[in-house]
Coordinates of all heavy atoms in Angstrom, one line a residue:
M1 N -104.0 123.7 -145.9 CA -103.0 124.6 -145.3 C -103.0 124.3 -143.8 O -104.0 124.3 -143.1 CB -103.4 126.0 -145.5 CG -102.3 127.0 -145.0 SD -102.7 128.7 -145.5 CE -101.4 129.6 -144.7
F2 N -101.8 124.1 -143.3 CA -101.6 123.8 -141.9 C -101.7 125.1 -141.0 O -101.0 126.1 -141.3 CB -100.2 123.1 -141.6 CG -100.0 122.7 -140.2 CD1 -100.7 121.6 -139.7 CD2 -99.2 123.4 -139.4 CE1 -100.4 121.2 -138.4 CE2 -99.0 123.1 -138.1 CZ -99.6 121.9 -137.6
E3 N -102.5 125.0 -140.0 CA -102.6 126.2 -139.1 C -101.9 125.9 -137.8 O -101.9 124.8 -137.3 CB -104.1 126.4 -138.8 CG -104.4 127.6 -138.0 CD -105.9 127.9 -137.8 OE1 -106.7 127.1 -138.4 OE2 -106.2 128.8 -137.0
R4 N -101.2 127.0 -137.4 CA -100.4 126.8 -136.2 C -101.2 127.1 -134.9 O -102.2 127.9 -135.0 CB -99.2 127.8 -136.2 CG -98.2 127.5 -137.2 CD -97.1 128.5 -137.3 NE -96.5 128.6 -136.0 CZ -95.9 129.8 -135.5 NH1 -96.0 130.8 -136.3 NH2 -95.4 129.9 -134.3
F5 N -100.9 126.4 -133.9 CA -101.7 126.6 -132.6 C -100.8 127.1 -131.5 O -100.4 126.4 -130.6 CB -102.3 125.2 -132.2 CG -103.3 124.7 -133.2 CD1 -102.9 123.9 -134.2 CD2 -104.7 125.1 -133.1 CE1 -103.9 123.4 -135.2 CE2 -105.6 124.6 -134.0 CZ -105.2 123.8 -135.0
D6 N -100.4 128.3 -131.6 CA -99.6 128.9 -130.5 C -100.5 129.3 -129.3 O -101.5 129.9 -129.5 CB -98.9 130.2 -131.0 CG -97.8 129.9 -132.0 OD1 -97.4 128.7 -132.1 OD2 -97.2 130.9 -132.5
R7 N -100.0 128.8 -128.2 CA -100.8 129.1 -127.0 C -99.8 129.5 -125.9 O -98.8 129.0 -125.7 CB -101.5 127.8 -126.5 CG -102.7 127.5 -127.3 CD -103.9 128.5 -127.1 NE -104.3 128.6 -125.8 CZ -105.3 127.9 -125.2 NH1 -105.8 126.9 -125.9 NH2 -105.6 128.1 -124.0
P8 N -100.2 130.6 -125.1 CA -99.5 131.0 -123.9 C -99.7 129.9 -122.9 O -100.8 129.5 -122.6 CB -100.0 132.3 -123.6 CG -101.4 132.3 -124.1 CD -101.4 131.5 -125.4
V9 N -98.6 129.5 -122.2 CA -98.7 128.5 -121.2 C -97.9 128.9 -119.9 O -97.0 129.8 -120.0 CB -98.2 127.1 -121.7 CG1 -99.1 126.6 -122.8 CG2 -96.7 127.2 -122.1
R10 N -98.2 128.2 -118.8 CA -97.5 128.5 -117.6 C -97.0 127.1 -117.1 O -97.8 126.2 -117.0 CB -98.4 129.1 -116.5 CG -97.7 129.5 -115.2 CD -98.7 129.7 -114.1 NE -99.8 130.6 -114.5 CZ -99.7 131.9 -114.3 NH1 -98.6 132.4 -113.8 NH2 -100.7 132.7 -114.7
C11 N -95.7 127.0 -116.7 CA -95.2 125.8 -116.2 C -95.5 125.7 -114.7 O -95.9 126.6 -114.0 CB -93.7 125.6 -116.5 SG -92.6 126.2 -115.3
K12 N -95.2 124.5 -114.1 CA -95.4 124.3 -112.7 C -94.7 125.2 -111.8 O -95.2 125.5 -110.7 CB -95.0 122.8 -112.4 CG -95.5 122.3 -111.1 CD -95.3 120.8 -111.0 CE -93.8 120.5 -110.9 NZ -93.5 119.1 -110.6
D13 N -93.6 125.8 -112.3 CA -92.8 126.7 -111.5 C -93.2 128.2 -111.7 O -92.6 129.1 -111.3 CB -91.3 126.6 -111.7 CG -90.8 125.2 -111.1 OD1 -91.5 124.7 -110.3 OD2 -89.7 124.8 -111.5
G14 N -94.2 128.4 -112.6 CA -94.7 129.7 -112.8 C -94.1 130.4 -114.0 O -94.3 131.6 -114.2
H15 N -93.2 129.7 -114.7 CA -92.6 130.4 -115.9 C -93.7 130.5 -117.0 O -94.5 129.6 -117.2 CB -91.4 129.5 -116.4 CG -90.3 129.4 -115.4 ND1 -89.8 128.2 -115.1 CD2 -89.7 130.3 -114.7 CE1 -88.8 128.4 -114.2 NE2 -88.8 129.7 -113.9
L16 N -93.6 131.6 -117.8 CA -94.5 131.9 -118.8 C -93.8 131.9 -120.2 O -92.8 132.5 -120.4 CB -95.2 133.2 -118.6 CG -96.0 133.3 -117.3 CD1 -96.2 134.8 -116.9 CD2 -97.4 132.7 -117.5
F17 N -94.4 131.1 -121.1 CA -93.9 131.1 -122.5 C -95.0 130.7 -123.4 O -96.1 130.4 -123.0 CB -92.6 130.2 -122.6 CG -92.9 128.8 -122.2 CD1 -93.1 127.8 -123.2 CD2 -92.9 128.4 -120.9 CE1 -93.3 126.5 -122.9 CE2 -93.1 127.0 -120.6 CZ -93.3 126.1 -121.6
T18 N -94.6 130.7 -124.7 CA -95.6 130.3 -125.8 C -95.1 129.0 -126.4 O -93.9 128.8 -126.6 CB -95.7 131.4 -126.8 OG1 -96.1 132.6 -126.2 CG2 -96.7 131.0 -127.9
T19 N -96.0 128.1 -126.7 CA -95.7 126.9 -127.3 C -96.7 126.5 -128.3 O -97.8 127.1 -128.3 CB -95.5 125.8 -126.2 OG1 -94.9 124.6 -126.8 CG2 -96.8 125.4 -125.6
I20 N -96.4 125.5 -129.1 CA -97.4 124.9 -130.0 C -98.3 124.0 -129.3 O -97.9 123.0 -128.7 CB -96.7 124.2 -131.2 CG1 -95.7 125.0 -131.9 CG2 -97.8 123.7 -132.2 CD1 -96.2 126.1 -132.7
W21 N -99.6 124.3 -129.2 CA -100.5 123.5 -128.5 C -101.6 123.0 -129.4 O -102.5 123.8 -129.8 CB -101.1 124.3 -127.3 CG -101.9 123.5 -126.3 CD1 -103.1 123.0 -126.5 CD2 -101.4 123.0 -125.0 NE1 -103.5 122.2 -125.4 CE2 -102.5 122.2 -124.5 CE3 -100.3 123.2 -124.3 CZ2 -102.4 121.7 -123.2 CZ3 -100.2 122.6 -123.1 CH2 -101.2 121.9 -122.5
V22 N -101.6 121.8 -129.8 CA -102.7 121.3 -130.7 C -103.7 120.4 -129.9 O -103.3 119.3 -129.4 CB -102.1 120.4 -131.8 CG1 -103.2 119.9 -132.7 CG2 -101.0 121.2 -132.5
P23 N -104.8 121.0 -129.6 CA -105.8 120.3 -128.8 C -106.4 119.1 -129.5 O -106.6 119.1 -130.7 CB -106.9 121.3 -128.5 CG -106.8 122.3 -129.6 CD -105.3 122.3 -130.0
F24 N -106.7 118.0 -128.8 CA -107.3 116.8 -129.4 C -106.5 116.3 -130.6 O -107.0 115.9 -131.6 CB -108.7 117.1 -129.8 CG -109.5 117.7 -128.7 CD1 -110.0 119.1 -128.8 CD2 -109.9 117.0 -127.6 CE1 -110.7 119.6 -127.8 CE2 -110.6 117.6 -126.6 CZ -111.0 118.9 -126.7
A25 N -105.1 116.3 -130.4 CA -104.3 115.8 -131.5 C -104.5 114.4 -131.7 O -104.4 113.9 -132.8 CB -102.8 116.1 -131.2
S26 N -104.8 113.6 -130.7 CA -105.1 112.2 -130.8 C -105.9 111.7 -129.7 O -106.0 112.4 -128.6 CB -103.8 111.4 -130.8 OG -103.2 111.4 -129.5
A27 N -106.6 110.6 -129.8 CA -107.4 110.1 -128.8 C -106.6 109.8 -127.5 O -107.1 109.9 -126.4 CB -108.1 108.8 -129.3
K28 N -105.4 109.4 -127.7 CA -104.5 109.1 -126.6 C -104.2 110.3 -125.7 O -104.0 110.2 -124.5 CB -103.2 108.5 -127.2 CG -102.5 107.5 -126.3 CD -101.3 107.0 -127.0 CE -100.8 105.7 -126.3 NZ -99.6 105.1 -127.1
A29 N -104.2 111.5 -126.3 CA -103.9 112.7 -125.6 C -105.1 113.3 -124.9 O -105.0 114.3 -124.2 CB -103.3 113.8 -126.6
L30 N -106.3 112.8 -125.1 CA -107.5 113.4 -124.6 C -107.4 113.5 -123.1 O -107.8 114.5 -122.5 CB -108.7 112.5 -124.9 CG -109.3 112.8 -126.3 CD1 -110.5 111.8 -126.6 CD2 -109.9 114.2 -126.4
R31 N -107.0 112.5 -122.4 CA -107.0 112.6 -120.9 C -105.9 113.5 -120.4 O -105.9 113.8 -119.2 CB -106.8 111.2 -120.3 CG -105.5 110.5 -120.7 CD -105.5 109.0 -120.4 NE -104.3 108.4 -120.9 CZ -103.2 108.3 -120.2 NH1 -103.1 108.8 -119.0 NH2 -102.1 107.7 -120.7
L32 N -105.0 114.0 -121.3 CA -104.0 114.9 -120.9 C -104.2 116.3 -121.4 O -103.4 117.2 -121.4 CB -102.6 114.5 -121.4 CG -102.1 113.1 -120.8 CD1 -100.9 112.7 -121.5 CD2 -101.9 113.2 -119.3
V33 N -105.5 116.6 -121.8 CA -105.8 117.8 -122.5 C -105.6 119.1 -121.6 O -105.3 120.1 -122.1 CB -107.2 117.8 -123.1 CG1 -108.2 117.8 -122.0 CG2 -107.4 118.9 -124.1
D34 N -105.7 118.9 -120.3 CA -105.6 120.1 -119.5 C -104.2 120.5 -119.2 O -103.9 121.7 -118.9 CB -106.4 119.9 -118.2 CG -105.8 118.8 -117.3 OD1 -105.3 117.9 -117.9 OD2 -105.9 118.9 -116.1
H35 N -103.3 119.6 -119.3 CA -101.9 120.0 -119.1 C -101.0 118.9 -119.8 O -101.5 117.9 -120.1 CB -101.5 120.1 -117.6 CG -101.4 118.8 -116.9 ND1 -102.5 118.1 -116.5 CD2 -100.3 118.1 -116.5 CE1 -102.1 117.0 -115.9 NE2 -100.8 117.0 -115.9
R36 N -99.7 119.2 -119.9 CA -98.9 118.2 -120.5 C -97.4 118.4 -120.0 O -97.1 119.4 -119.4 CB -98.9 118.2 -122.0 CG -98.2 119.4 -122.6 CD -98.3 119.4 -124.1 NE -97.5 120.5 -124.7 CZ -97.7 120.9 -126.0 NH1 -98.5 120.3 -126.8 NH2 -96.9 121.9 -126.4
F37 N -96.6 117.4 -120.2 CA -95.2 117.4 -119.7 C -94.3 117.7 -120.9 O -94.4 117.1 -121.9 CB -94.9 116.0 -119.2 CG -93.7 115.9 -118.4 CD1 -93.7 116.4 -117.1 CD2 -92.5 115.3 -118.9 CE1 -92.6 116.3 -116.3 CE2 -91.4 115.2 -118.1 CZ -91.4 115.7 -116.8
Q38 N -93.5 118.8 -120.7 CA -92.6 119.2 -121.8 C -91.5 120.0 -121.2 O -91.5 120.4 -120.1 CB -93.4 120.0 -122.9 CG -93.8 121.4 -122.4 CD -94.4 122.2 -123.6 OE1 -95.4 121.9 -124.2 NE2 -93.7 123.3 -123.9
R39 N -90.6 120.4 -122.1 CA -89.4 121.2 -121.7 C -89.8 122.7 -121.6 O -90.5 123.2 -122.5 CB -88.3 121.1 -122.8 CG -87.1 121.8 -122.4 CD -85.9 120.8 -122.3 NE -84.7 121.5 -121.9 CZ -83.9 121.2 -120.9 NH1 -84.3 120.2 -120.1 NH2 -82.9 121.9 -120.6
C40 N -89.4 123.3 -120.5 CA -89.7 124.7 -120.3 C -88.4 125.5 -120.7 O -87.3 125.3 -120.2 CB -89.9 125.0 -118.8 SG -89.9 126.7 -118.3
P41 N -88.6 126.5 -121.7 CA -87.4 127.2 -122.2 C -87.0 128.3 -121.3 O -85.9 128.9 -121.5 CB -88.0 127.8 -123.6 CG -89.4 127.9 -123.3 CD -89.8 126.8 -122.4
V42 N -87.8 128.6 -120.3 CA -87.4 129.7 -119.4 C -86.5 129.2 -118.2 O -85.5 129.7 -118.0 CB -88.7 130.3 -118.8 CG1 -88.3 131.4 -117.8 CG2 -89.6 130.9 -119.9
G43 N -87.0 128.1 -117.6 CA -86.2 127.5 -116.5 C -85.3 126.4 -117.0 O -84.5 125.8 -116.2
H44 N -85.4 126.0 -118.3 CA -84.5 125.0 -118.9 C -84.7 123.7 -118.1 O -83.7 123.1 -117.6 CB -83.1 125.4 -118.9 CG -82.9 126.6 -119.7 ND1 -83.0 126.7 -121.1 CD2 -82.6 127.9 -119.3 CE1 -82.8 128.0 -121.5 NE2 -82.5 128.7 -120.4
H45 N -85.9 123.3 -117.9 CA -86.2 122.1 -117.1 C -87.4 121.4 -117.7 O -88.2 122.0 -118.5 CB -86.4 122.3 -115.6 CG -87.5 123.3 -115.4 ND1 -88.0 123.6 -114.1 CD2 -88.2 124.2 -116.2 CE1 -89.0 124.5 -114.2 NE2 -89.1 124.9 -115.4
W46 N -87.6 120.1 -117.4 CA -88.8 119.4 -117.8 C -89.8 119.6 -116.8 O -89.6 119.5 -115.6 CB -88.5 117.9 -118.0 CG -87.7 117.6 -119.3 CD1 -86.4 117.6 -119.4 CD2 -88.3 117.4 -120.6 NE1 -86.0 117.4 -120.7 CE2 -87.2 117.2 -121.5 CE3 -89.6 117.3 -121.1 CZ2 -87.4 117.0 -122.8 CZ3 -89.7 117.0 -122.5 CH2 -88.6 116.9 -123.3
T47 N -91.1 119.9 -117.2 CA -92.1 120.2 -116.2 C -93.5 120.0 -116.8 O -93.6 119.8 -118.0 CB -91.9 121.7 -115.7 OG1 -92.8 121.9 -114.6 CG2 -92.2 122.7 -116.8
S48 N -94.5 120.2 -116.0 CA -95.8 120.2 -116.5 C -96.3 121.6 -116.8 O -95.9 122.5 -116.1 CB -96.8 119.6 -115.4 OG -96.5 118.3 -115.1
V49 N -97.0 121.8 -117.9 CA -97.4 123.1 -118.3 C -98.9 123.1 -118.5 O -99.5 122.1 -118.9 CB -96.7 123.6 -119.6 CG1 -95.2 123.7 -119.4 CG2 -97.1 122.8 -120.8
W50 N -99.5 124.3 -118.2 CA -100.9 124.4 -118.4 C -101.2 125.6 -119.4 O -100.5 126.7 -119.2 CB -101.6 124.7 -117.1 CG -101.8 123.6 -116.2 CD1 -102.9 122.8 -116.0 CD2 -100.8 123.0 -115.3 NE1 -102.6 121.8 -115.0 CE2 -101.3 121.9 -114.6 CE3 -99.4 123.4 -115.0 CZ2 -100.6 121.2 -113.7 CZ3 -98.7 122.6 -114.1 CH2 -99.3 121.5 -113.4
P51 N -102.1 125.5 -120.3 CA -102.4 126.7 -121.2 C -103.1 127.8 -120.4 O -103.9 127.5 -119.5 CB -103.3 126.1 -122.3 CG -103.9 124.9 -121.6 CD -102.9 124.4 -120.6
L52 N -102.7 129.0 -120.8 CA -103.5 130.2 -120.2 C -104.7 130.4 -121.1 O -104.7 130.3 -122.3 CB -102.6 131.4 -120.2 CG -101.3 131.4 -119.4 CD1 -100.5 132.7 -119.6 CD2 -101.6 131.3 -117.9
D53 N -105.8 130.8 -120.4 CA -107.0 131.2 -121.1 C -106.9 132.7 -121.4 O -107.0 133.5 -120.5 CB -108.2 130.9 -120.3 CG -109.5 131.2 -121.1 OD1 -109.4 131.9 -122.1 OD2 -110.5 130.7 -120.6
P54 N -106.7 133.1 -122.7 CA -106.6 134.5 -123.0 C -107.7 135.4 -122.5 O -107.6 136.6 -122.3 CB -106.5 134.5 -124.5 CG -106.0 133.2 -124.9 CD -106.6 132.2 -123.8
S55 N -108.9 134.8 -122.3 CA -110.1 135.6 -121.9 C -110.1 135.8 -120.4 O -110.8 136.7 -120.0 CB -111.4 134.9 -122.4 OG -111.5 133.6 -121.7
T56 N -109.3 135.0 -119.6 CA -109.4 135.2 -118.2 C -108.0 135.5 -117.6 O -107.9 135.9 -116.4 CB -110.0 134.0 -117.5 OG1 -109.2 132.8 -117.8 CG2 -111.4 133.7 -118.0
A57 N -106.9 135.2 -118.3 CA -105.6 135.4 -117.8 C -105.2 136.8 -117.6 O -105.8 137.7 -118.3 CB -104.6 134.7 -118.7
D58 N -104.3 137.1 -116.7 CA -103.8 138.5 -116.5 C -103.1 138.9 -117.8 O -102.2 138.2 -118.3 CB -102.8 138.4 -115.3 CG -102.3 139.8 -114.9 OD1 -102.2 140.7 -115.8 OD2 -102.0 140.0 -113.7
P59 N -103.4 140.1 -118.3 CA -102.8 140.6 -119.5 C -101.3 140.7 -119.4 O -100.5 140.5 -120.4 CB -103.4 142.0 -119.7 CG -104.7 141.9 -119.0 CD -104.5 141.0 -117.9
A60 N -100.8 141.0 -118.2 CA -99.3 141.0 -118.0 C -98.7 139.7 -118.2 O -97.6 139.5 -118.7 CB -99.0 141.6 -116.6
D61 N -99.4 138.6 -117.7 CA -98.9 137.3 -117.9 C -98.9 136.9 -119.3 O -97.9 136.3 -119.8 CB -99.8 136.3 -117.1 CG -99.6 136.4 -115.6 OD1 -98.6 137.0 -115.2 OD2 -100.3 135.7 -114.9
L62 N -99.9 137.3 -120.1 CA -100.0 136.9 -121.5 C -98.9 137.6 -122.2 O -98.3 137.0 -123.2 CB -101.3 137.3 -122.1 CG -102.5 136.5 -121.6 CD1 -103.8 137.1 -122.1 CD2 -102.4 135.1 -122.0
A63 N -98.6 138.9 -121.9 CA -97.5 139.6 -122.5 C -96.1 138.9 -122.3 O -95.3 138.8 -123.2 CB -97.5 141.0 -122.0
R64 N -95.9 138.5 -121.0 CA -94.7 137.8 -120.7 C -94.5 136.5 -121.5 O -93.5 136.2 -121.9 CB -94.6 137.6 -119.2 CG -94.2 138.8 -118.4 CD -94.1 138.5 -116.9 NE -93.2 137.5 -116.6 CZ -93.2 136.8 -115.5 NH1 -94.1 137.0 -114.5 NH2 -92.3 135.8 -115.2
A65 N -95.7 135.8 -121.5 CA -95.6 134.5 -122.3 C -95.3 134.7 -123.7 O -94.7 133.9 -124.4 CB -97.0 133.8 -122.1
G66 N -95.8 135.9 -124.3 CA -95.6 136.1 -125.7 C -94.1 136.5 -126.0 O -93.7 136.5 -127.2
E67 N -93.3 136.8 -125.0 CA -91.9 137.2 -125.2 C -91.0 136.0 -125.4 O -89.9 136.1 -125.9 CB -91.4 138.0 -124.0 CG -92.1 139.4 -124.0 CD -91.7 140.1 -122.7 OE1 -90.9 139.5 -121.9 OE2 -92.1 141.2 -122.5
V68 N -91.4 134.8 -125.0 CA -90.6 133.6 -125.1 C -91.4 132.5 -125.8 O -92.5 132.2 -125.5 CB -90.2 133.1 -123.7 CG1 -89.3 131.8 -123.8 CG2 -89.5 134.2 -122.9
H69 N -90.7 132.0 -126.9 CA -91.3 130.9 -127.6 C -90.3 129.8 -127.6 O -89.1 130.0 -127.8 CB -91.7 131.3 -129.1 CG -92.7 130.4 -129.7 ND1 -92.5 129.1 -129.9 CD2 -93.9 130.7 -130.1 CE1 -93.6 128.5 -130.5 NE2 -94.5 129.5 -130.6
D70 N -90.8 128.5 -127.4 CA -89.9 127.4 -127.3 C -89.4 127.0 -128.7 O -88.5 126.2 -128.8 CB -90.5 126.2 -126.5 CG -91.8 125.7 -127.2 OD1 -92.2 126.3 -128.2 OD2 -92.3 124.7 -126.7
I71 N -90.0 127.5 -129.7 CA -89.5 127.2 -131.1 C -89.2 128.6 -131.7 O -90.1 129.4 -131.8 CB -90.5 126.4 -131.9 CG1 -90.8 125.1 -131.3 CG2 -90.0 126.3 -133.3 CD1 -91.9 124.3 -132.0
H72 N -88.0 128.8 -132.1 CA -87.6 130.0 -132.7 C -87.8 130.0 -134.2 O -87.2 129.3 -134.9 CB -86.1 130.4 -132.4 CG -85.9 130.5 -130.9 ND1 -86.3 131.7 -130.2 CD2 -85.4 129.7 -130.0 CE1 -85.9 131.5 -129.0 NE2 -85.4 130.3 -128.8
I73 N -88.8 130.8 -134.6 CA -89.1 130.9 -136.1 C -88.2 131.9 -136.7 O -88.2 133.1 -136.2 CB -90.6 131.3 -136.2 CG1 -91.5 130.4 -135.4 CG2 -91.0 131.3 -137.7 CD1 -91.5 128.9 -135.8
P74 N -87.5 131.6 -137.7 CA -86.6 132.5 -138.4 C -87.4 133.7 -139.0 O -88.5 133.5 -139.4 CB -85.9 131.7 -139.4 CG -86.6 130.5 -139.6 CD -87.4 130.2 -138.4
Ligands
LIG1 ZN1 -90.4 126.5 -116.0

């Protein structure tokens, strides 16, 4: 059974949203594990995003990130 890896993330411009984040998906991605380049659904731009750590991030930031997902599940 495939498990989803939803993670709250923050883009370079400070936008908060949730995306699918699969850590260690491949050896090639290892060196990019701390951030990655992808489309931001809040600012509608390509940017670098960093995952938020739920144990240390501001709860308000996590709540805002949870309101926007880059993939809309029906
Ligand atoms: Zn953004």
Side-chain angles (χ1 to χ4, degrees):
M1 184 173 177
F2 183 75
E3 188 176 350
R4 292 177 55 210
F5 295 90
D6 286 354
R7 284 293 299 273
V9 296
R10 183 198 309 273
C11 90
K12 194 170 66 175
D13 291 342
H15 298 131
L16 296 159
F17 60 99
T18 300
T19 191
I20 306 289
W21 191 284
V22 182
F24 308 111
S26 73
K28 210 175 196 177
L30 275 177
R31 61 195 175 87
L32 297 173
V33 70
D34 63 329
H35 73 282
R36 73 182 184 193
F37 196 72
Q38 71 170 65
R39 184 122 181 122
C40 168
V42 178
H44 304 288
H45 57 168
W46 286 90
T47 187
S48 297
V49 302
W50 287 260
L52 297 176
D53 183 345
S55 64
T56 59
D58 187 328
D61 285 352
L62 292 173
R64 282 179 59 198
E67 290 173 359
V68 181
H69 200 297
D70 62 353
I71 298 176
H72 295 284
I73 309 297

